[in-house]
Amino acid sequence: MMPTAIALPSTDQEIGPRRPGAIYQNTDGRFEVLALITHPGEAAKLLRRDSARWAVIVRDTLRPDGQPFAVGSVWTTSDYLIRSAKEAAPSAAFAPAA
């Protein structure tokens, strides 16, 4: 019997609508997306993992002292978009080095 091939989700499917400027909510809080990192080496470093395809830097808007932090959890049905991303160039502060 041949094993069945399983299609893995694409990076865009895993990230969902989380682009800079977007605000989304789930059971953990309400988050503003500050940056999207798609360079695997930088994403792994930010998430303190051996490997990662991407990372999102967010700030919890429900906490007055909310500090930016990186997340690497995939977009699921428990996440919902409150505000769509802004159409703007990515921040130079979070751009991968050339």
Coordinates of all heavy atoms in Angstrom, one line a residue:
M1 N 0.8 -1.2 0.0 CA 0.0 0.0 0.0 C 0.9 1.2 0.0 O 1.8 1.4 0.8 CB -0.9 0.0 1.2 CG -1.9 1.1 1.3 SD -3.0 0.8 2.7 CE -4.4 1.5 2.1
M2 N 0.6 2.1 -0.9 CA 1.4 3.4 -1.1 C 0.9 4.4 0.0 O -0.3 4.6 0.2 CB 1.2 4.0 -2.5 CG 1.8 3.1 -3.6 SD 3.6 3.3 -3.7 CE 3.7 4.8 -4.6
P3 N 1.9 5.1 0.6 CA 1.5 6.2 1.5 C 0.8 7.3 0.7 O 1.2 7.6 -0.4 CB 2.8 6.6 2.2 CG 3.9 6.0 1.4 CD 3.3 4.9 0.6
T4 N -0.1 7.9 1.3 CA -0.8 9.1 0.7 C 0.0 10.3 1.0 O 0.4 10.6 2.1 CB -2.2 9.2 1.3 OG1 -2.9 8.0 1.1 CG2 -3.0 10.3 0.6
A5 N 0.2 11.1 -0.1 CA 0.9 12.4 0.1 C 0.0 13.4 0.8 O -1.2 13.5 0.5 CB 1.3 12.9 -1.3
I6 N 0.5 14.1 1.7 CA -0.2 15.1 2.4 C 0.3 16.5 2.0 O 1.5 16.7 2.1 CB -0.1 14.9 4.0 CG1 -0.6 13.6 4.4 CG2 -0.7 16.1 4.7 CD1 -0.3 13.2 5.8
A7 N -0.6 17.3 1.6 CA -0.2 18.7 1.1 C -0.1 19.6 2.4 O -1.0 19.7 3.2 CB -1.2 19.2 0.2
L8 N 1.1 20.1 2.6 CA 1.3 21.0 3.7 C 0.8 22.4 3.3 O 0.8 22.8 2.1 CB 2.8 21.1 4.0 CG 3.5 19.8 4.4 CD1 5.0 20.1 4.6 CD2 2.9 19.4 5.7
P9 N 0.3 23.2 4.3 CA -0.1 24.5 4.0 C 1.0 25.4 3.5 O 2.1 25.2 3.9 CB -0.7 25.0 5.3 CG -0.1 24.1 6.4 CD 0.3 22.8 5.7
S10 N 0.7 26.3 2.6 CA 1.7 27.3 2.2 C 2.0 28.3 3.3 O 1.2 28.4 4.3 CB 1.1 28.0 0.9 OG 0.1 28.9 1.3
T11 N 3.1 29.0 3.1 CA 3.5 30.0 4.1 C 2.3 31.0 4.2 O 2.0 31.5 5.3 CB 4.8 30.7 3.7 OG1 5.8 29.7 3.7 CG2 5.2 31.8 4.6
D12 N 1.8 31.5 3.1 CA 0.7 32.5 3.1 C -0.5 31.9 3.9 O -1.2 32.7 4.6 CB 0.3 32.9 1.7 CG 1.2 33.9 1.1 OD1 2.0 34.5 1.8 OD2 1.2 34.1 -0.2
Q13 N -0.8 30.6 3.7 CA -2.0 30.1 4.5 C -1.7 30.1 6.0 O -2.5 30.3 6.8 CB -2.3 28.7 4.0 CG -2.9 28.6 2.6 CD -3.0 27.2 2.1 OE1 -2.0 26.4 2.3 NE2 -4.1 26.9 1.5
E14 N -0.4 29.7 6.3 CA 0.0 29.7 7.7 C -0.1 31.1 8.4 O -0.5 31.3 9.5 CB 1.4 29.1 7.9 CG 1.5 27.7 7.6 CD 2.9 27.1 7.8 OE1 3.8 27.9 7.9 OE2 3.0 25.9 7.9
I15 N 0.4 32.1 7.6 CA 0.4 33.5 8.1 C -1.0 34.1 8.2 O -1.3 34.8 9.1 CB 1.3 34.4 7.3 CG1 2.8 33.8 7.4 CG2 1.3 35.8 7.7 CD1 3.7 34.4 6.4
G16 N -1.8 33.7 7.2 CA -3.2 34.3 7.1 C -3.1 35.8 6.8 O -2.2 36.2 6.1
P17 N -4.0 36.6 7.3 CA -4.1 38.0 6.9 C -3.1 38.9 7.8 O -3.2 40.1 7.8 CB -5.5 38.4 7.1 CG -6.0 37.5 8.2 CD -5.2 36.2 8.0
R18 N -2.2 38.2 8.5 CA -1.3 39.0 9.4 C -0.2 39.7 8.6 O 0.8 39.1 8.4 CB -0.8 38.1 10.5 CG -1.9 37.6 11.4 CD -1.3 36.7 12.5 NE -1.0 35.4 11.8 CZ -0.6 34.3 12.5 NH1 -0.4 34.4 13.8 NH2 -0.3 33.2 11.8
R19 N -0.5 40.9 8.3 CA 0.5 41.7 7.6 C 0.7 43.0 8.4 O -0.2 43.3 9.2 CB 0.1 42.1 6.2 CG -0.2 40.9 5.2 CD 1.1 40.2 4.9 NE 0.9 39.1 3.9 CZ 0.6 37.8 4.2 NH1 0.4 37.5 5.4 NH2 0.5 36.9 3.2
P20 N 1.8 43.8 8.3 CA 1.9 45.0 9.1 C 0.7 45.9 9.0 O 0.2 46.2 8.0 CB 3.2 45.6 8.5 CG 4.0 44.5 8.0 CD 2.9 43.5 7.4
G21 N 0.2 46.3 10.2 CA -0.9 47.2 10.3 C -2.2 46.4 10.7 O -3.2 47.0 11.1
A22 N -2.2 45.1 10.4 CA -3.4 44.3 10.7 C -3.6 44.2 12.2 O -2.6 44.2 13.0 CB -3.4 43.0 10.1
I23 N -4.8 44.1 12.7 CA -5.1 43.8 14.1 C -6.0 42.5 14.1 O -7.0 42.5 13.3 CB -5.8 44.9 14.8 CG1 -4.9 46.1 14.9 CG2 -6.3 44.5 16.2 CD1 -5.5 47.4 15.5
Y24 N -5.6 41.5 14.9 CA -6.4 40.3 15.0 C -6.6 40.0 16.4 O -5.9 40.4 17.3 CB -5.8 39.2 14.2 CG -4.5 38.6 14.7 CD1 -4.5 37.5 15.5 CD2 -3.3 39.2 14.5 CE1 -3.3 36.9 16.0 CE2 -2.1 38.7 15.0 CZ -2.2 37.6 15.8 OH -1.0 37.1 16.3
Q25 N -7.6 39.1 16.7 CA -7.8 38.7 18.1 C -8.0 37.2 18.1 O -8.5 36.6 17.2 CB -9.1 39.4 18.6 CG -9.3 39.2 20.1 CD -10.3 40.1 20.7 OE1 -10.6 41.2 20.1 NE2 -10.9 39.8 21.8
N26 N -7.6 36.6 19.3 CA -7.9 35.2 19.6 C -8.0 35.1 21.1 O -8.1 36.1 21.8 CB -6.8 34.3 19.0 CG -5.4 34.6 19.5 OD1 -5.2 35.1 20.6 ND2 -4.5 34.4 18.6
T27 N -8.0 33.9 21.7 CA -8.2 33.8 23.1 C -7.0 34.3 23.9 O -7.1 34.6 25.1 CB -8.4 32.3 23.5 OG1 -7.3 31.5 23.0 CG2 -9.7 31.7 22.8
D28 N -5.9 34.5 23.3 CA -4.7 35.0 24.0 C -4.6 36.5 24.1 O -3.9 37.1 24.9 CB -3.4 34.6 23.3 CG -3.2 33.0 23.3 OD1 -3.7 32.4 24.3 OD2 -2.7 32.5 22.4
G29 N -5.4 37.3 23.2 CA -5.4 38.7 23.3 C -5.8 39.3 21.9 O -6.3 38.6 21.0
R30 N -5.5 40.6 21.8 CA -5.8 41.4 20.6 C -4.5 41.9 20.1 O -3.8 42.7 20.9 CB -6.8 42.5 20.8 CG -7.1 43.2 19.5 CD -8.1 44.4 19.7 NE -9.4 43.9 20.3 CZ -10.1 44.6 21.1 NH1 -9.8 45.8 21.4 NH2 -11.2 44.0 21.5
F31 N -4.0 41.6 18.9 CA -2.7 41.9 18.5 C -2.6 42.8 17.3 O -3.3 42.5 16.3 CB -1.9 40.6 18.2 CG -2.0 39.7 19.4 CD1 -2.9 38.6 19.5 CD2 -1.1 39.8 20.5 CE1 -3.0 37.8 20.6 CE2 -1.2 39.0 21.6 CZ -2.1 38.0 21.6
E32 N -1.7 43.8 17.3 CA -1.4 44.6 16.1 C -0.2 44.0 15.5 O 0.8 43.8 16.3 CB -1.2 46.0 16.5 CG -0.8 46.9 15.3 CD -0.6 48.3 15.7 OE1 -0.4 48.6 16.9 OE2 -0.5 49.1 14.8
V33 N -0.2 43.8 14.3 CA 1.0 43.2 13.6 C 1.9 44.4 13.2 O 1.6 45.3 12.5 CB 0.6 42.5 12.3 CG1 1.8 42.0 11.5 CG2 -0.3 41.3 12.6
L34 N 3.1 44.3 13.8 CA 4.1 45.3 13.5 C 5.1 45.0 12.3 O 5.5 45.9 11.6 CB 5.0 45.6 14.8 CG 4.2 45.9 16.0 CD1 5.1 46.0 17.2 CD2 3.4 47.2 15.8
A35 N 5.4 43.7 12.2 CA 6.3 43.3 11.1 C 6.0 41.8 10.8 O 5.6 41.0 11.6 CB 7.7 43.5 11.5
L36 N 6.3 41.5 9.6 CA 6.3 40.1 9.1 C 7.7 39.7 8.6 O 8.2 40.4 7.7 CB 5.3 39.9 7.9 CG 5.3 38.6 7.2 CD1 5.0 37.4 8.1 CD2 4.3 38.7 6.0
I37 N 8.3 38.7 9.2 CA 9.6 38.3 8.8 C 9.5 37.0 8.0 O 9.0 36.0 8.6 CB 10.5 38.0 10.1 CG1 10.4 39.2 11.0 CG2 11.9 37.7 9.7 CD1 10.8 40.5 10.5
T38 N 9.9 37.0 6.8 CA 9.8 35.8 6.0 C 11.2 35.2 5.6 O 11.3 34.2 4.9 CB 9.1 36.0 4.6 OG1 9.7 37.1 4.0 CG2 7.6 36.4 4.9
H39 N 12.2 35.7 6.2 CA 13.6 35.2 6.0 C 13.7 34.1 7.1 O 13.7 34.3 8.3 CB 14.6 36.2 6.2 CG 16.0 35.7 6.0 ND1 16.8 35.1 7.0 CD2 16.8 35.8 4.9 CE1 17.9 34.8 6.5 NE2 18.0 35.2 5.2
P40 N 13.9 32.8 6.7 CA 13.9 31.7 7.6 C 14.9 31.8 8.7 O 14.6 31.5 9.9 CB 14.1 30.4 6.7 CG 13.6 30.8 5.4 CD 13.9 32.3 5.3
G41 N 16.1 32.3 8.4 CA 17.1 32.4 9.5 C 16.8 33.4 10.5 O 16.9 33.2 11.7
E42 N 16.3 34.6 10.1 CA 15.8 35.6 11.0 C 14.6 35.2 11.8 O 14.5 35.4 13.0 CB 15.5 36.9 10.2 CG 16.7 37.6 9.6 CD 17.7 38.1 10.7 OE1 17.3 38.6 11.7 OE2 18.9 37.8 10.5
A43 N 13.7 34.5 11.2 CA 12.5 34.0 11.9 C 12.9 33.0 12.9 O 12.4 33.1 14.1 CB 11.5 33.4 10.9
A44 N 13.8 32.1 12.6 CA 14.2 31.1 13.6 C 14.9 31.8 14.8 O 14.7 31.4 16.0 CB 15.2 30.1 13.0
K45 N 15.7 32.8 14.5 CA 16.4 33.5 15.6 C 15.4 34.2 16.5 O 15.5 34.1 17.7 CB 17.3 34.6 15.0 CG 18.7 34.6 15.6 CD 19.6 35.7 15.0 CE 20.0 35.4 13.6 NZ 20.9 36.4 13.1
L46 N 14.4 34.9 15.9 CA 13.4 35.6 16.7 C 12.6 34.7 17.5 O 12.2 35.0 18.7 CB 12.5 36.4 15.7 CG 13.1 37.7 15.1 CD1 12.2 38.2 14.0 CD2 13.2 38.7 16.2
L47 N 12.3 33.5 17.0 CA 11.4 32.5 17.7 C 12.2 31.6 18.6 O 11.6 30.8 19.3 CB 10.6 31.7 16.7 CG 9.6 32.6 15.9 CD1 9.0 31.7 14.8 CD2 8.5 33.1 16.8
R48 N 13.5 31.7 18.6 CA 14.4 30.9 19.4 C 14.2 29.4 19.1 O 14.0 28.6 20.0 CB 14.3 31.2 20.8 CG 14.7 32.6 21.2 CD 14.6 32.8 22.7 NE 15.0 34.2 23.0 CZ 14.2 35.1 23.5 NH1 13.0 34.8 23.8 NH2 14.7 36.3 23.8
R49 N 14.2 29.1 17.8 CA 13.9 27.7 17.3 C 15.1 27.3 16.4 O 15.8 28.2 15.9 CB 12.7 27.6 16.5 CG 11.4 27.9 17.3 CD 10.2 27.7 16.3 NE 9.0 28.1 17.0 CZ 7.8 28.3 16.4 NH1 7.8 28.2 15.1 NH2 6.7 28.6 17.0
D50 N 15.2 26.1 16.1 CA 16.2 25.6 15.2 C 15.9 26.0 13.8 O 16.8 26.3 12.9 CB 16.4 24.1 15.3 CG 17.1 23.7 16.5 OD1 17.8 24.5 17.2 OD2 16.8 22.5 16.9
S51 N 14.6 26.0 13.5 CA 14.2 26.4 12.1 C 12.8 27.0 12.2 O 12.0 26.7 13.1 CB 14.2 25.2 11.2 OG 13.2 24.3 11.5
A52 N 12.5 27.9 11.2 CA 11.2 28.5 11.1 C 11.1 29.1 9.7 O 12.1 29.5 9.1 CB 10.9 29.6 12.1
R53 N 9.9 29.1 9.1 CA 9.8 29.6 7.8 C 9.4 31.1 7.8 O 9.7 31.9 6.9 CB 8.6 28.9 7.0 CG 9.0 27.5 6.7 CD 8.1 26.8 5.7 NE 6.7 26.8 6.1 CZ 5.8 26.3 5.3 NH1 6.1 25.8 4.1 NH2 4.5 26.3 5.7
W54 N 8.8 31.5 9.0 CA 8.4 32.9 9.1 C 8.1 33.2 10.6 O 8.1 32.3 11.4 CB 7.1 33.2 8.3 CG 6.0 32.2 8.6 CD1 5.8 31.0 8.1 CD2 5.0 32.4 9.7 NE1 4.7 30.4 8.7 CE2 4.2 31.2 9.7 CE3 4.8 33.4 10.6 CZ2 3.2 31.0 10.6 CZ3 3.7 33.2 11.5 CH2 3.0 32.0 11.5
A55 N 8.0 34.5 10.9 CA 7.6 35.0 12.2 C 6.8 36.3 12.0 O 7.0 37.0 11.1 CB 8.9 35.2 13.1
V56 N 6.0 36.6 13.0 CA 5.2 37.8 13.0 C 5.5 38.5 14.3 O 5.5 37.9 15.4 CB 3.7 37.5 12.9 CG1 2.9 38.8 12.9 CG2 3.4 36.8 11.6
I57 N 5.9 39.8 14.2 CA 6.1 40.6 15.4 C 4.8 41.3 15.7 O 4.3 42.1 14.9 CB 7.3 41.5 15.3 CG1 8.6 40.7 15.0 CG2 7.5 42.4 16.5 CD1 9.8 41.5 14.7
V58 N 4.3 41.1 16.9 CA 3.0 41.7 17.3 C 3.2 42.4 18.7 O 4.1 42.3 19.4 CB 1.9 40.6 17.4 CG1 1.7 39.9 16.1 CG2 2.3 39.6 18.5
R59 N 2.1 43.2 18.9 CA 2.0 43.9 20.2 C 0.5 43.7 20.7 O -0.4 43.9 19.9 CB 2.3 45.4 20.1 CG 2.1 46.2 21.3 CD 2.4 47.7 21.1 NE 1.5 48.3 20.1 CZ 0.3 48.8 20.5 NH1 -0.1 48.8 21.8 NH2 -0.5 49.4 19.6
D60 N 0.4 43.3 21.9 CA -1.0 43.1 22.5 C -1.6 44.4 22.8 O -1.1 45.1 23.7 CB -0.9 42.2 23.7 CG -2.3 41.7 24.2 OD1 -3.3 42.4 23.8 OD2 -2.4 40.7 25.0
T61 N -2.6 44.8 22.1 CA -3.2 46.1 22.3 C -4.2 46.2 23.5 O -4.6 47.3 23.8 CB -4.0 46.5 21.0 OG1 -5.1 45.6 20.8 CG2 -3.1 46.6 19.8
L62 N -4.4 45.1 24.1 CA -5.3 45.1 25.3 C -4.4 45.3 26.6 O -5.0 45.6 27.6 CB -6.0 43.7 25.5 CG -7.0 43.4 24.4 CD1 -7.6 42.0 24.6 CD2 -8.1 44.5 24.3
R63 N -3.1 45.3 26.4 CA -2.2 45.6 27.6 C -1.6 47.0 27.4 O -1.0 47.2 26.4 CB -1.1 44.6 27.6 CG -1.5 43.2 27.9 CD -0.3 42.2 27.8 NE -0.6 41.0 28.4 CZ -0.3 40.7 29.7 NH1 0.4 41.5 30.4 NH2 -0.6 39.5 30.2
P64 N -1.8 47.9 28.3 CA -1.3 49.2 28.2 C 0.2 49.2 28.1 O 0.8 50.1 27.5 CB -1.7 49.9 29.5 CG -2.5 49.0 30.3 CD -2.6 47.7 29.6
D65 N 0.9 48.2 28.7 CA 2.3 48.1 28.6 C 2.8 47.1 27.6 O 3.9 46.6 27.8 CB 2.9 47.8 30.0 CG 2.4 46.4 30.6 OD1 1.4 45.9 30.0 OD2 3.0 45.9 31.5
G66 N 2.0 46.7 26.7 CA 2.3 45.7 25.7 C 3.5 45.9 25.0 O 3.6 46.9 24.3
Q67 N 4.5 45.0 25.1 CA 5.8 45.1 24.4 C 5.7 44.2 23.2 O 5.1 43.1 23.2 CB 6.9 44.7 25.3 CG 7.1 45.6 26.5 CD 7.5 47.0 26.1 OE1 8.4 47.2 25.3 NE2 6.8 48.0 26.6
P68 N 6.4 44.6 22.1 CA 6.4 43.7 20.9 C 7.1 42.4 21.2 O 8.1 42.3 22.0 CB 7.3 44.5 19.9 CG 7.2 46.0 20.4 CD 7.1 45.9 21.9
F69 N 6.6 41.4 20.6 CA 7.2 40.0 20.7 C 6.9 39.2 19.4 O 6.0 39.6 18.6 CB 6.7 39.3 21.9 CG 5.2 39.0 22.0 CD1 4.7 37.8 21.6 CD2 4.4 40.0 22.4 CE1 3.4 37.5 21.6 CE2 3.0 39.7 22.5 CZ 2.5 38.5 22.1
A70 N 7.7 38.2 19.2 CA 7.5 37.4 18.0 C 6.6 36.2 18.2 O 6.7 35.6 19.3 CB 8.9 37.0 17.5
V71 N 5.8 35.9 17.2 CA 5.0 34.7 17.3 C 5.2 33.9 16.0 O 5.5 34.5 14.9 CB 3.5 35.0 17.5 CG1 3.2 35.6 18.8 CG2 2.9 35.8 16.4
G72 N 5.0 32.6 16.1 CA 5.1 31.7 14.9 C 4.0 30.7 14.8 O 4.1 29.8 14.1
S73 N 2.9 31.0 15.5 CA 1.7 30.1 15.4 C 0.9 30.4 14.1 O 0.8 31.5 13.7 CB 0.8 30.4 16.6 OG 0.4 31.7 16.8
V74 N 0.4 29.3 13.6 CA -0.3 29.4 12.3 C -1.7 30.0 12.5 O -2.3 30.0 13.6 CB -0.5 28.1 11.6 CG1 0.9 27.5 11.2 CG2 -1.3 27.1 12.4
W75 N -2.2 30.7 11.5 CA -3.6 31.3 11.5 C -4.6 30.1 11.6 O -4.5 29.2 10.8 CB -3.8 32.1 10.3 CG -5.1 32.8 10.2 CD1 -6.2 32.5 9.6 CD2 -5.4 34.1 10.8 NE1 -7.2 33.4 9.8 CE2 -6.7 34.4 10.5 CE3 -4.6 35.0 11.6 CZ2 -7.3 35.6 11.0 CZ3 -5.2 36.1 12.1 CH2 -6.6 36.4 11.8
T76 N -5.5 30.2 12.5 CA -6.5 29.2 12.7 C -7.9 29.8 12.7 O -8.1 31.0 12.7 CB -6.3 28.4 14.0 OG1 -6.6 29.2 15.1 CG2 -4.9 27.8 14.1
T77 N -8.9 28.9 12.8 CA -10.3 29.4 12.9 C -10.6 30.1 14.2 O -11.6 30.8 14.3 CB -11.3 28.2 12.7 OG1 -11.0 27.2 13.7 CG2 -11.2 27.6 11.3
S78 N -9.7 30.0 15.2 CA -9.9 30.7 16.5 C -9.4 32.2 16.4 O -9.6 33.0 17.3 CB -9.3 30.0 17.6 OG -7.9 29.9 17.5
D79 N -8.7 32.5 15.3 CA -8.2 33.9 15.1 C -9.2 34.6 14.2 O -9.8 34.0 13.3 CB -6.9 33.8 14.3 CG -5.8 33.1 15.1 OD1 -5.6 33.4 16.3 OD2 -5.1 32.2 14.5
Y80 N -9.4 35.9 14.5 CA -10.3 36.6 13.6 C -9.7 38.0 13.4 O -9.1 38.6 14.3 CB -11.7 36.6 14.0 CG -12.1 37.2 15.3 CD1 -12.5 38.6 15.4 CD2 -12.0 36.5 16.5 CE1 -12.8 39.1 16.7 CE2 -12.3 37.0 17.7 CZ -12.7 38.3 17.8 OH -13.0 38.9 19.0
L81 N -9.9 38.5 12.2 CA -9.3 39.8 11.8 C -10.2 40.9 12.2 O -11.4 40.9 12.0 CB -9.2 39.8 10.3 CG -8.4 41.0 9.7 CD1 -6.9 41.0 10.1 CD2 -8.4 40.9 8.1
I82 N -9.7 41.9 12.9 CA -10.4 43.1 13.3 C -10.2 44.3 12.3 O -11.1 45.0 12.0 CB -10.0 43.5 14.8 CG1 -10.5 42.4 15.7 CG2 -10.6 44.9 15.1 CD1 -10.0 42.6 17.1
R83 N -8.9 44.4 11.9 CA -8.6 45.5 11.0 C -7.6 44.9 10.0 O -6.6 44.3 10.3 CB -7.9 46.7 11.7 CG -7.6 47.8 10.7 CD -6.9 49.0 11.4 NE -5.5 48.7 11.8 CZ -4.8 49.4 12.6 NH1 -5.4 50.4 13.3 NH2 -3.6 49.1 12.9
S84 N -7.8 45.1 8.7 CA -6.9 44.7 7.6 C -5.6 45.4 7.7 O -5.5 46.5 8.2 CB -7.6 44.9 6.3 OG -8.7 44.1 6.1
A85 N -4.6 44.8 7.1 CA -3.3 45.4 7.0 C -3.3 46.7 6.2 O -4.1 46.9 5.3 CB -2.3 44.4 6.4
K86 N -2.4 47.6 6.6 CA -2.2 48.9 5.8 C -1.4 48.6 4.6 O -0.5 47.7 4.6 CB -1.4 49.9 6.7 CG -2.2 50.2 8.0 CD -1.3 51.1 8.8 CE -2.0 51.4 10.2 NZ -1.1 52.0 11.1
E87 N -1.7 49.3 3.5 CA -0.9 49.1 2.3 C 0.3 50.1 2.4 O 0.2 51.3 2.2 CB -1.7 49.5 1.1 CG -2.8 48.5 0.8 CD -2.3 47.1 0.5 OE1 -1.3 47.0 -0.2 OE2 -3.0 46.1 1.0
A88 N 1.4 49.6 2.9 CA 2.6 50.4 3.0 C 3.9 49.6 2.8 O 3.8 48.4 3.0 CB 2.6 51.1 4.4
A89 N 5.0 50.2 2.6 CA 6.2 49.5 2.5 C 6.6 49.0 3.9 O 6.3 49.6 4.9 CB 7.3 50.5 2.0
P90 N 7.3 47.8 3.9 CA 7.7 47.3 5.2 C 8.7 48.2 5.9 O 9.5 48.9 5.2 CB 8.4 45.9 4.8 CG 8.5 46.0 3.3 CD 7.7 47.0 2.8
S91 N 8.7 48.1 7.2 CA 9.6 49.0 8.0 C 11.1 48.5 7.8 O 11.4 47.3 7.8 CB 9.3 48.8 9.5 OG 10.3 49.4 10.3
A92 N 11.9 49.5 7.6 CA 13.4 49.2 7.4 C 14.0 48.5 8.6 O 14.9 47.8 8.5 CB 14.1 50.4 7.0
A93 N 13.4 48.8 9.8 CA 14.0 48.3 11.0 C 13.8 46.8 11.1 O 14.5 46.1 11.8 CB 13.3 48.9 12.2
F94 N 12.8 46.2 10.4 CA 12.5 44.8 10.4 C 12.8 44.1 9.1 O 12.6 42.9 9.0 CB 11.1 44.5 10.8 CG 10.8 45.0 12.2 CD1 10.0 46.2 12.4 CD2 11.3 44.4 13.3 CE1 9.8 46.6 13.7 CE2 11.0 44.8 14.6 CZ 10.2 46.0 14.8
A95 N 13.4 44.8 8.2 CA 13.7 44.2 6.9 C 15.0 43.3 7.0 O 15.9 43.6 7.8 CB 14.0 45.3 5.8
P96 N 15.0 42.2 6.3 CA 16.2 41.3 6.4 C 17.4 42.0 5.8 O 17.3 42.8 4.9 CB 15.8 40.0 5.6 CG 14.6 40.4 4.9 CD 13.9 41.6 5.5
A97 N 18.5 41.7 6.3 CA 19.8 42.2 5.8 C 20.1 41.7 4.4 O 19.7 40.6 4.1 CB 20.9 41.9 6.8
A98 N 20.7 42.5 3.6 CA 20.9 42.2 2.2 C 22.1 41.3 2.1 O 23.0 41.2 2.9 CB 21.2 43.4 1.4

